[in-house]
Structure formats: structure tokens, C-alpha cells
């Protein structure tokens, strides 16, 4: 069974640009969540999608957005990048609400210069 | 809202020694509790989880944790550390009510010396 696949693994962007990250969940999983991980703030929840609907949203500015497609694949977009957006972005999938445990991808390391 | 506190940002043990990583949680409703491990430049791997039932939970790689409701704790232990256990460990909580997401602790870096 394939795991959670995140692409790309590494990304370097310039301040002011926008970026799109992709996540393919485990087959059959309908819930996809995104987390930002930084040394200072740790792991912070961005948003969760279930069956193409955003079900939960963390405390991030509107520059951070996401969507989920009918095949459960998800993308997150960050517009007008700032230096502080440099982080490891992790995607996690679950078959339900997460109560059975999330499976995480390897992450996308975003560096903003 | 729920929260997680992990005591000690770094824990050092010798190979073969007991590993104890502490986790306390706060939740107004019955929690689900998780331990994840993260190796450098990788994602999070689920070690074990507590949902319902037996309070002593066994996970992968010889780790186990015990849910103690009276102490609001979910400490992670392993009888004998191995060099390959060196990594960062995260405790996380979600709740059974509604649609819940994971709230993580700040993490504990486990260092294992020969």
C-alpha cells in the first residue's frame, strides 16, 4: 500500500512569489490535513479537508489556502511568500476524522530567500 | 481546546538504558493520544496510539505508553535504548467529539550515546 506522497520534496522561492505544494493521500483516505513545522513554533495545524470540503482551519493568514480534489489529492498554496514561511510542510491523511491515527508524508521543505 | 506538554526538549540516555519521555495533556473531553517519531529530514511516523480500551499501549520498535487519566499523562517508555532510537519524538492529542485535528507537543529530542 503506497504511503502519503508529497511533491516536491524541496523548494526554493523568492519573497513575494507564490508556491503550490501537492499531497496524494493513501488510497481510500478521504481526510487530508496540512501542518507547518518550524524550529520556533513546532508543528502547527493549517487546515483539513474531507471529501473536497474544508472542515477545519488553523490560525494562519489568508495567504495560506488549500483545496482537495475528487480523488482526495490535495494542494496547498501560499501567496506573497515571506521569509517566515520557510518551513517543512507536512501532509497527513486519515480514513476518518483522525481518531484512528494520521499517516504523514515526508514533507516539502520550503525555503524562502 | 486541547494542549500537550512534553517535559524536556532534550533527553540523553546511554545505549541499553531505559527511555522515558514525558507527555501531559489537557482536554475537556476524552482524548485520543498519539506518539510520533521524526528522523532528520523525514515526516512523522506513528509509534503508537491510545483510543479506547486497554490503557497500556504497545507500539513499534519496542516502545509502549500508558494512559493515566488521573494524571493526564501518556508517557512513552522503552526498556532498552538502541542507537537507532535517536530521533525527535512528538506527543499529540485529538478528541472524540466532532471533527478533531492533532495538537502536538513541542517535541523531545532523544540522544543515545554508546
Amino acid at each position: 500500500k503506497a504511503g502519503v506522497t508529497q511533491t516536491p520534496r524541496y523548494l526554493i522561492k523568492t519573497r513575494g512569489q507564490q508556491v503550490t505544494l501537492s499531497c496524494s493521500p493513501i488510497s481510500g483516505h478521504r481526510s487530508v490535513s496540512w501542518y507547518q513545522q518550524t524550529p520556533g513554533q513546532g508543528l502547527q495545524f493549517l487546515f483539513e479537508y474531507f471529501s473536497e470540503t474544508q472542515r477545519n482551519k488553523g490560525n494562519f493568514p489568508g495567504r495560506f489556502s488549500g483545496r482537495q480534489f475528487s480523488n482526495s489529492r490535495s494542494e496547498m498554496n501560499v501567496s506573497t511568500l515571506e521569509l517566515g514561511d520557510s518551513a517543512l510542510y507536512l501532509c497527513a491523511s486519515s480514513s476518518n476524522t483522525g481518531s484512528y491515527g494520521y499517516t504523514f508524508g515526508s514533507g516539502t521543505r520550503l525555503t524562502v530567500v | 481546546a486541547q494542549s500537550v506538554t512534553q517535559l524536556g526538549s532534550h533527553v540523553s540516555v546511554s545505549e541499553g538504558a531505559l527511555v522515558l519521555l514525558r507527555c501531559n495533556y489537557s482536554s475537556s473531553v476524552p482524548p485520543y493520544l498519539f506518539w510520533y517519531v521524526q528522523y532528520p529530514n523525514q515526516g512523522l511516523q506513528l509509534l503508537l496510539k491510545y483510543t479506547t480500551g486497554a490503557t497500556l499501549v504497545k507500539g513499534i520498535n519496542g516502545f509502549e505508553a500508558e494512559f493515566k487519566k488521573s494524571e493526564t499523562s501518556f508517557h512513552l517508555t522503552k526498556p532498552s535504548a538502541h542507537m537507532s532510537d535517536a530521533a525527535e519524538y512528538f506527543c499529540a492529542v485529538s478528541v472524540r467529539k466532532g471533527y478533531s485535528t492533532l495538537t502536538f507537543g513541542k517535541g523531545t529530542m532523544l540522544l543515545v550515546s554508546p
Side-chain angles (χ1 to χ4, degrees), chain A residues 9 35 37 97 99-100 102, chain B residues 32 36 38 41 49 100 102:
Chain A
R9 283 298 310 275
Y35 290 81
Q37 185 178 25
T97 62
S99 45
Y100 308 113
Y102 289 89
Chain B
Y32 292 130
Y36 284 89
Q38 185 177 36
N41 295 317
K49 63 186 177 188
S100 178
L102 287 170

Side-chain angles (χ1 to χ4, degrees), chain A:
Chain A
K1 197 174 189 180
V4 179
T5 303
Q6 290 189 248
T7 56
R9 283 298 310 275
Y10 301 92
L11 208 49
I12 299 176
K13 289 287 188 179
T14 304
R15 266 185 308 173
Q17 287 186 314
Q18 75 165 17
V19 67
T20 299
L21 312 181
S22 178
C23 172
S24 293
I26 289 174
S27 178
H29 284 192
R30 295 164 64 190
S31 169
V32 173
S33 298
W34 288 88
Y35 290 81
Q36 181 196 64
Q37 185 178 25
T38 59
Q41 299 299 316
L43 283 152
Q44 293 185 286
F45 170 72
L46 281 156
F47 27 66
E48 185 225 358
Y49 287 86
F50 184 84
S51 293
E52 301 180 67
T53 300
Q54 186 180 87
R55 199 160 61 175
N56 279 297
K57 189 177 189 304
N59 189 26
F60 277 80
R63 300 185 297 108
F64 292 81
S65 63
R67 59 177 174 170
Q68 186 180 34
F69 302 95
S70 59
N71 62 357
S72 293
R73 189 177 72 85
S74 177
E75 289 181 346
M76 69 163 280
N77 184 276
V78 187
S79 62
T80 319
L81 284 166
E82 300 177 0
L83 295 178
D85 297 332
S86 295
L88 181 65
Y89 290 89
L90 292 166
C91 166
S93 77
S94 171
S95 58
N96 196 334
T97 62
S99 45
Y100 308 113
Y102 289 89
T103 301
F104 282 80
S106 297
T108 294
R109 172 74 63 184
L110 172 65
T111 302
V112 182
V113 297

Side-chain angles (χ1 to χ4, degrees), chain B residues 5-87:
Chain B
T5 301
Q6 291 183 241
L7 291 175
S9 59
H10 292 78
V11 169
S12 295
V13 299
S14 299
E15 193 172 21
L18 171 71
V19 175
L20 171 60
L21 304 183
R22 299 178 186 275
C23 171
N24 288 88
Y25 70 90
S26 171
S27 176
S28 57
V29 296
Y32 292 130
L33 295 161
F34 307 84
W35 275 100
Y36 284 89
V37 62
Q38 185 177 36
Y39 297 97
N41 295 317
Q42 293 191 25
L44 302 174
Q45 180 183 12
L46 181 66
L47 277 177
L48 49 79
K49 63 186 177 188
Y50 167 78
T51 53
T52 58
T55 57
L56 181 62
V57 181
K58 294 187 184 298
I60 62 172
N61 301 338
F63 285 94
E64 63 180 37
E66 186 171 11
F67 169 59
K68 292 187 176 181
K69 184 179 178 180
S70 61
E71 299 176 9
T72 61
S73 69
F74 191 57
H75 302 328
L76 181 71
T77 61
K78 182 174 180 177
S80 177
H82 193 272
M83 296 295 289
S84 61
D85 294 327

